[in-house]
Structures are given as structure tokens and as C-alpha cells.
Amino acid sequence: MKRILTVDDSASVRQMVSFTLRKAGYEVVEAVDGKDGLGKAGSEKFDLIITDLNMPNMDGIQMITAVRKLPGAAFVPILMLTTESQAGKKDEGRKAGATGWIVKPFDANQLVAVAQKLVK
Amino acid sequence: MSVATRAEILSTLARGGPALRAMATIVDHEIGSVARTFGVLARHAEEVLHLAAEMVACVENDKVSSVLPKVQSLGAAARHFTTSRLEATGGILEVVSAEVKLLRQLAQVANGQQAVAMEIKALSVLTNIEVARLGSVGMGFQYLAHELSAFSKSVVEDTQELATHTEGRRAAIEETRRVLSAEIPRLRHELMRIESDLKDALEVVAESLTQLATTPAKFRGCVEDIARQITAVVAAIQSHDITRQMNEHVETAFALIATRLSGAGDTADEIAQELPRSYAGLRIQIGQLQTIEETVTAWTSQIKVCMKDILRVSASEVSAMGRVVVDQERKVSAQLACIELLEKESQAYSEKTRHSVQGLTNLMQLVREHVQRQQSVRDRLRMLAFNSIIEANHLGTKADAILAISKSIKGISTTWSEITDQSAQALKEILALVQQSNEVTEAFSQSSTDTLLEAQAQTRAGLDGLRDAATFTGIRAREMTLATEKMQAKIKEVGATGEVLDEAFARSAAVLREIESLRLHLEVYYPWVRQEVDPQEAEDLFAAFYTTELERDVLRAVLLQTDLPAHQPSLAGNSVELF
């Protein structure tokens, strides 16, 4: 079963991501902030990472930058899931190594579709 | 601008921050609970959809749809079966009436024979007397006397047999007439009942099939509805995260305003210099709080509506499919049972009819044999009369009496011949009746019954399939009811959560009222605070920590004194942008 890591400081968002992706047949692991996400990304193998931008301890951009330096995680697709929609922020995310950007709230069907596209 | 006013502002801001934080804590907890409840609810919804899908597949199966043509065939066969039997019964009744007349004729024949037998017996006695009188000359007529005696005896026996049989037959015929007379109205009644029941059954089957035919489309509609509602709830629950962040930013802004105001210095002029920024900041926070209120109202009501809709969809017509199939099966079963009973009763009746026709055939056989014997007697009487007349003429006047007897025999022979003709005519008519009854009783033949039996067997097989479907959908419908009840319990939990959320959001409303009141106070007592603040400076000051475009739009609308953005976060969810 393909594994997805969802990183968000909002429990309800993590629940919705997990609910949507588990229903589509994925195994979903939750992390409560960037630091937790980085720790899990370093110790486990994931096929996709979905992360929030603004989080305590470590934000999404910092986490992506760090994850990209992890051995074996350089090419793992990473989606930003955030309330931010500014072009500048998106550019930051892209430069840090994000694969895509979703402005909250996400469309459940589209999230599943993009997960299917990115996780092969 | 007094220090007291500053203290009042700081006090209001100091109360607002914790109030918003307390609200956020409660809302976070409750939304977590809603999200968990929703997860369970969605699983139940999936379970209901799965059950409904199985039911839809079941009713789309040929087992259900093929019942209608089978019931139609059964109806046509039963109608034909009853109509043909009704016509045949009428035909047999005609045959029986004709047979009664024939039996009367045969009785007359028997009476005529009886008279002839008596006459022959008398002639036999007279011949014996004459033979005795003539002595040796009359010895030749002894054979005549003996023959006449034998004829008389044979005719008596034959006549008795015919009379006995016709009498027995007459009694049997009466019984047959009674049965047939009672059967005709019964069959007519059965026919009317079949027509009525069949019409009823066909209407029920056709109606339920029409209903079931639309169910798959309705079900697909339900699936789409539930999927849409689930997507909407997923988006609505995420919207909480947006309002949570906005709320935190209002709290941060309160702290910023308070810090700047506190640090502005203690003189009235120093405070007055900072006050327009504080005022602008308060107005921005009012705008943010109003937007939060609207957004929260939108997503909480969206969650409530969606969950209710999920429940409504789950308890919709899809769950009624089971009852429709069960009703259909019940109606067709009842109809089949009636037709099976009719067929069984007809079997017993057919037996009686066959027995009656067999009786007519037996009578025909008897009369045929009787006619053969009559013809034989007629021929021999003619021969006897002819020979005895020759012999009597040969003897001359001595045999005048014998000659007279011989002439009488000739006369009897003629009478007998007429009786024989009557019997032959009766035989002919019986033959015609037998043929007629064979034709009409074709309706009671096995081949005629076989058509009905075949239709019954097919309906029974169709009914077995329908019964399986009814059992299956009945079980699934019950399971759906259980799942729906569980969903209802979960919806109730969400209902309680809704009340908690409403109470929590009342804190935000209270903060908004206090800030509004503070704004009014400033506008009334320090109207100069309304002097414009550089929008860029205000944006740099207050938007630095914003994380949503909505907050920035609200800030600009407040600063530029335009309407607040009407847009709410899309509850349909946003799409993915891949780099």
C-alpha cells in the first residue's frame, strides 16, 4: 500500500486529509508540525508528502528544504496545502522543492486524483 | 486624549485576546470531534451505499424484470384454460340434453321390443298347439315353434338389458347435468376473478417494476449527492483552519495595538499620535471579526446541512426497494396460488366430465351390439316367415292356422325392422354425440392443461428468483435501516456539537461588540482619530502576519472604506496547482 505523510498543525485538516486519502486506499501517517514531519520523513519511507506552510516549530518551506536533503527523499513528491495563495509564497515553495500547491480547503476528489498521478 | 481612555482601550483589548483564545480552544476541540464523527458517519454512508448498490444490482437482475412477462403468460394461459373449459362445459351440457332425448327414444324401443317379445311368445305357443293338432304332418313346424320361443326369450333378455342400461344411464346423466349446471356459474365466477386478480397483480408488478427501473438512476443520483455532501463537509471542516488562523491574527493584532499604544509614551499628545493607528487597527479587526463570523456561520451551517442531507439520502427510496420487491413477490405468489387451486379443482371436474363421456361411449357400444342383434333377429324372422309360409302353402288347407301364424311372423318382422331402424337411428345420433363430446372435451385434455402447467412452472421459477431477490433486498434494507440509525445517532452528536460551537462563537460576537463599542466611543469623543492612516503603512503593520488572501482583502476593504469582501472560502474545495 502506498504511504502518504500529511503534516499540519491543525488536527481537523490532518483528519480530513487522512479521511480522504485512506478512503482512496492509501496509508496515511500524520505529523503535527514541520519538525515532526521531518523526523518521520527521515525515519520512514513515503510516496507523497502533503504539508501545511505556516506551522509552529518548523514551517512547511523549512521542512521541504530539509526533506530534500534527506537521503532517498530528494524525489518524493511534496504538495503544499495552505491557506496562502500569494504568488511569492508559491515561488518560495517551488524553489524549496515543492511539487505542487493547494489552497485550503482542498477538493477531495482533486486531491485523490493528484495523489494517484504523483504516486505511481 | 487621556490616559484613562488609553487604559480603557488596553483593558478591552486585554479582555478580547483571552476571549478569542478560549473560543479557539473550544472550537478546536469541537471541530476535532465533528471531524471524527464525520469520519464515522462517512463510513456508515459508505456502508449504506454499498448495501444499496447490492440491492440495485439485485433488482437490475433478470430475476426481477422477467417476472412480468411470466405473469402475463400465466394470466393468458389461465384465461384460455378457463374460457375453453367454460365453452366445453356448455357443449357437454348440450350433449347431455341430447342424450336424455335419445335415452327416451331407446326406452320406447325397449317398450316396442317388449311388446314384440310377448307377441312372438304367443305365436310360439300357438305354433306348438298347431303342431300337436297336425300330428306327423306338422312335425316340420316344430322348428318354427322352437325358434319363436328362443326369439322371445332372447328379445326379452335383450330388452331388459337395454332398459336397465338406459335407466342407469339416465340416473348418471342427471348427476352429470347437476354437476355441469353448478360448474358453469362457478367457472364464470372463476373467470371474472382471474381477470380481476390478474389485472390487479399485473398492475402491481408493472408498477413496482417501473419503480424499480427508476431506482438505479435514483441510486446513482444518491451516490453523487452523498459524494458531493462528503466533499462539502471535508471542505467545510478545513475552513475551520482558515477561521482559526484569522482568529489568531486578530488576537495578535490586539496585542500589537496594545503594545504600540502602551509604548507610545504617557503624555496626551504621544497617545493621541498613536491613536489613529490604533483606531485603524481596531476597524481592521472589526472587519476581520465580522468576516470570521460570516465564514464560521457558513461552514458550520454547511456541516449541519450536509450531514442532514447524507442522512436524508441514505433513508431515501433506495432503502424502499426491498419493500417493493417483497410486495411484488407476495402479489404474484397469491395470484399463482389462486391459479394452482383453479387448476387442481379443474382436474377433479375433468375427471367427472371424462367419466360422463365414457358413459356415452359405453352406451354407444351397447346400442351398437343391440342393433346388431336386432338386425340378426330381423333377418331370421324374415327367413322363418318366408319358409313357414312356403311350407304351410305346401300343406294346403290343413295348415291354414300355421299360414296365419307365418303371416303374423312376417308382420312382426316388419314391426321389428322398424324398431331396428329406430335403434340404428339412435345409434347414429349417439355416434354424432360421441363425436361432439370428444371435440368439446378436447378442452379437458392433458395437452390443454399442459399449457397452463407450463406457464405455472415458469411463473413458479420466476417467483423463486423474485423470492430470492425479495429476501436479499429485505435483509439489505434492514441492514440499511440499522446503518441509518447509527448515522442518526452520530448526527445527534453533531447537533450537540453545533450548540457548543454556537456558544463558543458567541464569545467572538461579544468581543466584536466590545470593539465596536470602543470604536464608537473613539469616533464620538475623538473624531480626529478618523484621519486617514497611510494604507501601505497600516498593511505593513497589520498584514505582516496574515496567512490568507481573505484577511488581506478585508484589511484593504477597511482601509479603503469599501465593502467587505463577500467571498467565502469555496466549500467545493480548491484545485491543485502542480509546478
Side-chain angles (χ1 to χ4, degrees):
Chain A
M1 192 184 279
K2 300 288 181 185
R3 304 181 81 230
I4 297 175
L5 174 66
T6 174
V7 188
D8 203 303
D9 59 325
S10 164
S12 54
V13 171
R14 289 198 307 272
Q15 280 173 314
M16 289 305 100
V17 172
S18 299
F19 166 77
T20 305
L21 294 173
R22 281 182 186 138
K23 211 154 74 85
Y26 295 101
E27 183 187 339
V28 184
V29 174
E30 297 181 17
V32 297
D33 55 31
K35 201 175 164 190
D36 187 19
L38 180 63
K40 283 177 174 156
S43 58
E44 299 174 48
K45 191 181 174 303
F46 293 99
D47 299 287
L48 173 68
I49 297 172
I50 300 170
T51 180
D52 188 12
L53 175 61
N54 301 298
M55 291 179 287
N57 299 319
M58 181 186 276
D59 70 25
I61 301 287
Q62 290 170 321
M63 192 199 79
I64 294 173
T65 308
V67 165
R68 287 296 179 224
K69 289 176 186 162
L70 291 172
F75 300 105
V76 175
I78 304 177
L79 290 174
M80 294 290 304
L81 174 61
T82 172
T83 52
E84 281 289 5
S85 57
Q86 284 184 311
K89 291 283 180 189
K90 285 184 188 176
D91 199 42
E92 267 185 68
R94 193 177 52 79
K95 281 177 181 159
T99 314
W101 194 277
I102 312 169
V103 177
K104 288 178 184 173
F106 63 81
D107 177 302
N109 298 322
Q110 290 215 23
L111 181 67
V112 171
V114 81
Q116 285 168 344
K117 189 176 175 182
L118 294 174
V119 179
K120 286 175 184 168
Chain B
M1 179 71 203
S2 69
V3 173
T5 303
R6 181 173 70 173
E8 194 185 335
I9 296 171
L10 292 176
S11 161
T12 304
L13 293 174
R15 279 197 305 277
L20 292 177
R21 210 172 309 128
M23 177 197 78
T25 307
I26 296 169
V27 172
D28 244 12
H29 177 265
E30 288 303 316
I31 289 297
S33 162
V34 168
R36 280 190 298 278
T37 303
F38 171 70
V40 177
L41 192 66
R43 275 201 299 281
H44 288 317
E46 272 196 15
E47 187 188 344
V48 167
L49 288 180
H50 176 72
L51 292 167
E54 286 187 331
M55 286 167 75
V56 165
C58 178
V59 297
E60 277 189 317
N61 190 305
D62 277 353
K63 280 179 180 177
V64 176
S65 57
S66 66
V67 165
L68 184 62
K70 281 172 182 162
V71 174
Q72 281 169 334
S73 297
L74 175 69
R79 199 181 292 120
H80 175 73
F81 179 83
T82 314
T83 311
S84 60
R85 271 163 196 250
L86 189 61
E87 284 168 6
T89 304
I92 291 171
L93 203 57
E94 275 177 32
V95 169
V96 166
S97 302
E99 195 186 340
V100 169
K101 279 185 199 164
L102 273 173
L103 288 172
R104 226 173 275 136
Q105 282 178 30
L106 285 173
Q108 284 171 358
V109 167
N111 287 339
Q113 284 193 171
Q114 190 76 29
V116 169
M118 296 294 285
E119 219 173 317
I120 291 173
K121 191 170 173 62
L123 288 175
S124 166
V125 171
L126 285 173
T127 307
N128 274 329
I129 293 167
E130 200 55 29
V131 166
R133 190 184 66 79
L134 288 171
S136 59
V137 181
M139 287 301 281
F141 294 103
Q142 263 183 349
Y143 173 73
L144 175 64
H146 178 262
E147 275 295 284
L148 287 174
S149 174
F151 281 158
S152 165
K153 200 177 169 189
S154 160
V155 168
V156 165
E157 282 172 4
D158 204 25
T159 303
Q160 272 173 354
E161 191 188 348
L162 185 64
T164 307
H165 194 88
T166 51
E167 195 48 47
R169 181 68 189 155
R170 198 198 302 260
I173 284 284
E174 279 311 315
E175 172 63 11
T176 304
R177 278 179 80 169
R178 193 186 59 75
V179 170
L180 290 177
S181 301
E183 187 64 9
I184 284 177
R186 192 189 76 83
L187 279 174
R188 278 204 188 105
H189 177 260
E190 280 294 333
L191 194 62
M192 278 167 66
R193 190 186 58 76
I194 286 172
E195 291 286 354
S196 154
D197 284 2
L198 208 62
K199 187 168 166 272
D200 193 19
L202 285 172
E203 271 173 12
V204 168
V205 173
E207 193 185 318
S208 58
L209 283 178
T210 308
Q211 198 177 335
L212 291 173
T214 60
T215 308
K218 283 179 185 164
F219 168 67
R220 279 184 275 280
C222 282
V223 172
E224 283 166 14
D225 273 357
I226 289 183
R228 221 177 357 255
Q229 302 294 10
I230 287 176
T231 303
V233 175
V234 167
I237 289 175
Q238 292 176 74
S239 297
H240 152 67
D241 192 43
I242 297 167
T243 50
R244 178 186 63 84
Q245 288 180 36
M246 289 172 80
N247 202 57
E248 281 173 8
H249 299 155
V250 170
E251 199 188 325
T252 307
F254 282 175
L256 181 68
I257 295 166
T259 306
R260 284 186 67 95
L261 202 54
S262 302
D266 292 332
T267 66
D269 278 354
E270 283 169 332
I271 296 169
Q273 215 170 357
E274 181 59 22
L275 209 56
R277 276 184 214 89
S278 302
Y279 171 76
L282 289 177
R283 280 181 52 232
I284 292 166
Q285 302 328 305
I286 288 168
Q288 299 292 6
L289 285 170
Q290 284 171 340
T291 306
I292 289 170
E293 195 174 81
E294 279 177 27
T295 311
V296 162
T297 306
W299 67 254
T300 49
S301 67
Q302 179 68 29
I303 289 173
K304 286 176 196 167
V305 168
C306 288
M307 290 201 174
K308 273 185 190 157
D309 280 358
I310 288 173
L311 190 65
R312 183 182 54 76
V313 165
S314 306
S316 69
E317 287 162 56
V318 178
S319 63
M321 278 191 301
R323 187 183 43 73
V324 172
V325 180
V326 170
D327 283 354
Q328 187 179 336
E329 185 271 331
R330 213 170 280 161
K331 199 76 191 173
V332 176
S333 279
Q335 184 59 21
L336 181 65
C338 282
I339 291 173
E340 278 175 343
L341 184 67
L342 168 75
E343 188 264 324
K344 274 189 189 122
E345 284 172 356
S346 293
Q347 288 287 354
Y349 169 71
S350 300
E351 206 50 49
K352 284 179 191 167
T353 314
R354 266 195 291 275
H355 187 70
S356 171
V357 173
Q358 187 57 45
L360 186 64
T361 310
N362 292 345
L363 177 69
M364 179 189 74
Q365 193 58 32
L366 181 94
V367 173
R368 181 179 282 142
E369 287 167 9
H370 180 73
V371 168
Q372 282 169 356
R373 283 196 297 276
Q374 277 182 328
Q375 283 168 344
S376 165
V377 168
R378 179 195 64 195
D379 294 345
R380 286 172 67 190
L381 274 174
R382 277 182 188 160
M383 188 62 75
L384 209 57
F386 182 70
N387 286 339
S388 56
I389 286 169
I390 292 171
E391 191 60 25
N393 280 332
H394 182 69
L395 286 177
T397 55
K398 283 183 276 185
D400 281 349
I402 293 289
L403 187 61
I405 288 168
S406 299
K407 282 178 180 169
S408 291
I409 292 169
K410 195 182 171 190
I412 286 169
S413 160
T414 306
T415 307
W416 188 260
S417 190
E418 283 166 10
I419 290 170
T420 304
D421 287 345
Q422 281 173 18
S423 296
Q425 182 56 35
L427 179 63
K428 214 167 152 185
E429 287 178 32
I430 289 171
L431 268 169
L433 280 183
V434 167
Q435 196 176 351
Q436 191 182 335
S437 58
N438 280 338
E439 280 166 15
V440 294
T441 52
E442 177 56 30
F444 299 98
S445 70
Q446 193 56 41
S447 65
S448 156
T449 308
D450 284 349
T451 310
L452 181 65
L453 290 176
E454 174 64 20
Q456 281 176 327
Q458 281 193 7
T459 307
R460 212 173 286 122
L463 206 52
D464 287 344
L466 194 61
R467 205 169 283 133
D468 289 346
T471 308
F472 182 84
T473 50
I475 291 168
R476 292 296 178 274
R478 278 195 293 281
E479 287 173 357
M480 270 178 85
T481 306
L482 283 176
T484 307
E485 281 168 4
K486 285 178 192 166
M487 286 171 82
Q488 273 169 332
K490 284 288 160 196
I491 294 280
K492 269 188 187 168
E493 284 177 24
V494 176
T497 296
E499 285 166 23
V500 175
L501 284 176
D502 289 344
E503 278 176 31
F505 291 134
R507 294 171 191 240
S508 171
V511 172
L512 180 60
R513 278 195 303 276
E514 277 202 69
I515 302 291
E516 281 271 23
S517 146
L518 191 58
R519 179 181 63 87
L520 278 171
H521 178 83
L522 290 174
E523 283 174 4
V524 170
Y525 293 100
Y526 311 99
W528 47 266
V529 295
R530 300 176 78 161
Q531 66 181 272
E532 273 189 20
V533 172
D534 175 25
Q536 192 53 54
E537 185 195 347
E539 187 164 342
D540 290 346
L541 191 61
F542 293 106
F545 42 84
Y546 283 175
T547 51
T548 70
E549 207 52 40
L550 180 60
E551 291 170 296
R552 294 183 190 106
D553 289 344
V554 170
L555 177 138
R556 287 179 202 125
V558 172
L559 293 175
L560 300 172
Q561 299 192 354
T562 57
D563 289 339
L564 288 178
H567 95 269
Q568 300 292 340
S570 165
L571 292 178
N574 295 310
S575 57
V576 184
E577 181 187 347
L578 288 177
F579 297 136

